[in-house]
Amino acid sequence: AQKITQTQPGMFVQEKEAVTLDCTYDTSDQSYGLFWYKQPSSGEMIFLIYQGSYDEQNATEGRYSLNFQKARKSANLVISASQLGDSAMYFCAMSLLPRSNDYKLSFGAGTTVTVRA
Amino acid sequence: KAGVTQTPRYLIKTRGQQVTLSCSPISGHRSVSWYQQTPGQGLQFLFEYFSETQRNKGNFPGRFSGRQFSNSRSEMNVSTLELGDSALYLCASRRAGGSYGYTFGSGTRLTVV
């Protein structure tokens, strides 16, 4: 079974500053994918970034980057130049890769980010 | 291109009733998964369908069931509703093979009174 841990229930960040959201995971599988999703108050889960366990480079998508440290089993999300619209709940998630037919996502408890003007 | 569509957005039901939620995936996506989100338990996997077959199931009682149609649209049903079933139910679709991205709908917020 996979377990995702997000230890920061809530964070405040000043507009235009960077913020790092922590995520650690636990799995005995070697092939897995790590995801970050954003959930605004409207409820929709918005995909932000993906990192495969065999990817050597850290993933980046615009202002989002994933700091992947495989040996430490951590996959922290960095949001650069925070904007007011970044205020939301952020979830780290993991799934085993398709070869296992086990496609479900296991989610962490989430981190609430509030961006201050 | 249209995203994942869930209907209805909000629903209020009485304890003991049953409810059916609908999910239309992105065109071309054959895998549909359902998740329950509550403040206490967080996001929990319910089940996943692929080509009309349930391929994976989470740890939920038999009152929770689902199905997928030939056009990949999916429904989930909860019978004999309990107060604890009040939650946001999220549907996610993904394309088989290649991309590993899951695209979620806006969810159905179910309140059981």
Side-chain angles (χ1 to χ4, degrees), chain B residues 34-87:
Chain B
W34 289 89
Y35 293 82
Q36 181 197 63
Q37 185 177 22
T38 59
Q41 299 297 319
L43 280 148
Q44 295 184 284
F45 171 76
L46 279 155
F47 26 64
E48 188 237 354
Y49 286 87
F50 180 81
S51 292
E52 301 178 66
T53 302
Q54 187 182 87
R55 193 160 57 175
N56 211 345
K57 189 177 192 307
N59 189 23
F60 277 82
R63 300 185 296 107
F64 291 81
S65 63
R67 58 177 175 168
Q68 186 180 34
F69 302 95
S70 57
N71 61 357
S72 294
R73 190 177 72 84
S74 177
E75 288 180 348
M76 69 162 279
N77 184 277
V78 188
S79 63
T80 320
L81 283 165
E82 300 176 0
L83 296 179
D85 297 333
S86 294

Side-chain angles (χ1 to χ4, degrees), chain A residues 35 37 39 41-47 50 91 95-98 101-108, chain B residues 9-10 31 33 35 37 43-45 48 55-56 88 90 94 100-107 109:
Chain A
F35 303 78
Y37 284 89
Q39 187 178 42
S41 56
S42 59
E44 183 181 2
M45 297 284 279
I46 301 166
F47 167 74
Y50 166 82
F91 290 95
S95 78
L96 300 184
L97 293 188
N101 271 347
D102 183 4
Y103 297 106
K104 68 176 183 289
L105 284 167
S106 298
F107 286 89
Chain B
R9 286 297 311 274
Y10 302 93
S31 166
S33 301
Y35 293 82
Q37 185 177 22
L43 280 148
Q44 295 184 284
F45 171 76
E48 188 237 354
R55 193 160 57 175
N56 211 345
L88 178 66
L90 290 160
R94 63 181 293 279
Y100 303 128
Y102 297 77
T103 303
F104 282 80
S106 298
R109 193 167 292 279

Side-chain angles (χ1 to χ4, degrees), chain A residues 4-11 13 19-23 35-41 44-49 63-64 77-93 107-115, chain B residues 37 43:
Chain A
I4 304 288
T5 302
Q6 294 180 254
T7 57
Q8 306 152 310
M11 298 185 72
V13 59
V19 62
T20 298
L21 308 184
D22 294 340
C23 172
F35 303 78
W36 277 92
Y37 284 89
K38 170 185 177 182
Q39 187 178 42
S41 56
E44 183 181 2
M45 297 284 279
I46 301 166
F47 167 74
L48 296 177
I49 196 166
R63 295 187 298 112
Y64 305 106
L77 176 71
V78 180
I79 306 174
S80 62
S82 296
Q83 302 171 356
L84 294 177
D86 293 336
S87 293
M89 181 84 105
Y90 289 80
F91 290 95
C92 180
F107 286 89
T111 296
T112 301
V113 172
T114 304
V115 181
Chain B
Q37 185 177 22
L43 280 148

